[in-house]
């Protein structure tokens, strides 16, 4: 027996400024995974092309293998398998663009298909959320578009929608990894009530502005006081890069997920290259090299490209 599946999972940008651990959107940058299960040989093998290609290893600690096996072992009795994973990566690792979510969602989706269980999207969300711990990256990776998520008693709930507002996103990726664990440790456990009020108003405003196409509100609606002020010190040059993005025409700039990528939200009519170059230049003047990608909203979420059963 030998069966395989290829899935393509989009990058994601969690938080969207004020919507900490809740809002997220999918972007047109992808990791593609082919999982092949065989009962003719036993063990793991891995081939990686693209982003981070030398930093992944074929082991149960690799997120793609771990997420596949966690669901596979729940759904089947076939424990002695050979598992080969081939990855074609565009999403930079540990940069706040949901690279680990792509692996989690791909592993869960592949196990669902190759086991024959064919889980629904909501079931895939529940499995992926248990592995990731918060749904704001895995939800847009599965559904595409813009997602509003919350958890209650360990169950993830997501409202997925497509903003009416046309946007382009300029992702400026510094040559600096930032672990989500470290970036979460930087945030205080308790915050002041006025800051909670600030974020509640901005999160509500952002959601309505995107759905109602009110771009003039984005400058305020993307502001945050829950995590960005604390994480700013982990990303040298952040104020200068934000200022450069806005001066070059972006509505506003935010930290993508837990960083280190900084993301400009801009009208598609603006010159994305000019915004990207200005932000990369501001990083450079602070001694930090960076690259930029001009991205759109991905609306398809996870796609199954090929199945052989
Ligand atoms: N909401 C999460 C955070 C996203 O900002 O820590 C990163 O996984």
């Amino acid at each position: 027996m030998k069966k395989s599946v290829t899935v393509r999972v989009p990058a994601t940008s969690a938080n969207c400024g004020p919507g900490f651990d809740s809002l997220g959107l999918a972007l047109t940058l992808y990791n593609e995974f082919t999982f092949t299960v065989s009962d003719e040989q036993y063990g793991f093998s891995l081939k990686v092309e693209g982003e981070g290609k030398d930093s992944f290893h074929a082991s149960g600690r690799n997120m793609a293998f771990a997420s596949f096996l966690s669901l596979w072992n729940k759904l089947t009795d076939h424990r002695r398998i050979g598992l080969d994973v081939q990855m074609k990566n565009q999403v930079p690792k540990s940069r706040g663009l949901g690279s680990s979510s792509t692996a989690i969602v791909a592993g869960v989706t592949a196990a669902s298909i190759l086991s024959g269980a064919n889980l629904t999207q909501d079931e895939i969300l529940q499995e992926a959320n248990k592995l990731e711990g918060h749904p704001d990256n895995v939800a847009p990776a599965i559904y595409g578009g813009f997602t509003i998520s919350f958890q209650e008693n360990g169950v993830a709930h997501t409202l997925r929608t497509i903003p009416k507002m046309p946007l382009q996103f300029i992702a400026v990726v510094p040559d600096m990894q930032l672990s989500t664990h470290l970036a979460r440790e930087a945030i205080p456990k308790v915050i002041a009530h006025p800051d909670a009020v600030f974020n509640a108003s901005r999160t509500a405003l952002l959601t309505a502005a995107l759905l109602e196409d009110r771009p003039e509100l984005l400058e305020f609606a993307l502001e945050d006081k829950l995590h960005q002020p604390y994480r700013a010190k982990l990303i040298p040059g952040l104020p200068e890069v934000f200022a450069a993005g806005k001066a070059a025409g972006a509505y506003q700039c935010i930290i993508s997920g837990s960083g280190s990528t900084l993301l400009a939200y801009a009208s598609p009519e603006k010159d994305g290259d000019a915004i990207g170059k200005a932000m990369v230049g501001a990083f450079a003047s602070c001694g930090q090299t960076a690259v930029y990608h001009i991205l759109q909203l991905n609306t398809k979420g996870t796609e199954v490209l090929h199945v052989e059963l």
Side-chain angles (χ1 to χ4, degrees):
M1 172 278 281
K2 202 166 188 170
K3 23 191 198 178
S4 72
V5 61
T6 301
V7 295
R8 190 173 85 146
V9 188
T12 51
S13 183
N15 301 329
C16 304
F20 184 73
D21 277 0
S22 174
L23 302 184
L25 50 80
L27 294 166
T28 51
L29 196 68
Y30 303 95
N31 283 350
E32 191 181 299
F33 301 78
T34 300
F35 289 78
T36 304
V37 169
S38 153
D39 58 8
E40 290 149 24
Q41 67 217 68
Y42 180 64
F44 298 149
S45 58
L46 174 72
K47 189 172 154 215
V48 187
E49 288 171 33
E51 283 290 338
K53 69 182 168 65
D54 298 321
S55 62
F56 294 95
H57 305 286
S59 85
R61 293 180 59 184
N62 175 311
M63 209 50 110
F65 288 87
S67 54
F68 179 93
L69 290 171
S70 81
L71 186 59
W72 177 268
N73 290 339
K74 250 195 254 178
L75 296 174
T76 80
D77 295 328
H78 304 295
R79 299 287 159 90
R80 276 191 73 80
I81 54 165
L83 178 59
D84 176 72
V85 179
Q86 312 237 347
M87 297 165 63
K88 290 182 188 166
N89 291 346
Q90 291 181 337
V91 184
K93 212 177 157 187
S94 298
R95 300 299 210 295
L97 288 169
S99 142
S100 65
S101 285
T102 68
I104 291 173
V105 170
V108 168
T109 303
S112 150
I113 293 170
L114 295 182
S115 66
N118 295 315
L119 303 187
T120 63
Q121 279 184 315
D122 180 61
E123 289 167 330
I124 289 187
L125 173 67
Q126 301 312 325
E127 295 299 327
N129 183 50
K130 275 183 228 154
L131 295 166
E132 176 69 292
H134 35 84
D136 49 337
N137 279 118
V138 290
I142 294 166
Y143 294 104
F146 171 68
T147 54
I148 305 162
S149 305
F150 65 97
Q151 306 192 66
E152 189 143 294
N153 301 323
V155 178
H157 302 266
T158 289
L159 188 159
R160 179 264 191 195
T161 183
I162 300 295
K164 205 198 275 180
M165 189 188 302
L167 283 168
Q168 63 173 329
F169 302 91
I170 298 94
V172 180
V173 186
D175 186 16
M176 180 194 92
Q177 295 198 344
L178 184 53
S179 90
T180 296
H181 176 71
L182 196 76
R184 291 181 85 83
E185 297 249 295
I187 302 171
K189 300 275 174 285
V190 178
I191 53 136
H193 198 266
D195 289 352
V197 172
F198 184 98
N199 267 64
S201 64
R202 289 345 185 251
T203 306
L205 185 67
L206 174 62
T207 304
L210 291 173
L211 298 181
E212 297 276 318
D213 192 12
R214 295 283 304 276
E216 77 282 6
L217 297 173
L218 283 192
E219 183 179 4
F220 310 106
L222 285 164
E223 288 178 320
D224 163 73
K225 287 197 177 181
L226 288 191
H227 67 110
Q228 293 194 165
Y230 308 103
R231 288 172 164 174
K233 60 180 180 291
L234 303 175
I235 309 173
L238 179 143
E240 292 84 351
V241 178
F242 277 11
K246 286 179 76 174
Y251 293 126
Q252 185 58 282
C253 303
I254 55 143
I255 299 176
S256 181
S258 57
S260 57
T261 294
L262 304 182
L263 191 72
Y265 284 53
S267 158
E269 285 165 14
K270 294 285 179 183
D271 182 347
D273 281 306
I275 295 170
K277 283 178 187 158
M279 293 172 73
V280 166
F283 257 137
S285 65
C286 300
Q288 178 64 57
T289 54
V291 295
Y292 70 90
H293 303 277
I294 299 176
L295 304 171
Q296 317 302 323
L297 184 76
N298 163 284
T299 57
K300 292 188 174 161
T302 297
E303 292 176 89
V304 178
L305 303 182
H306 183 73
V307 185
E308 217 168 295
L309 296 176

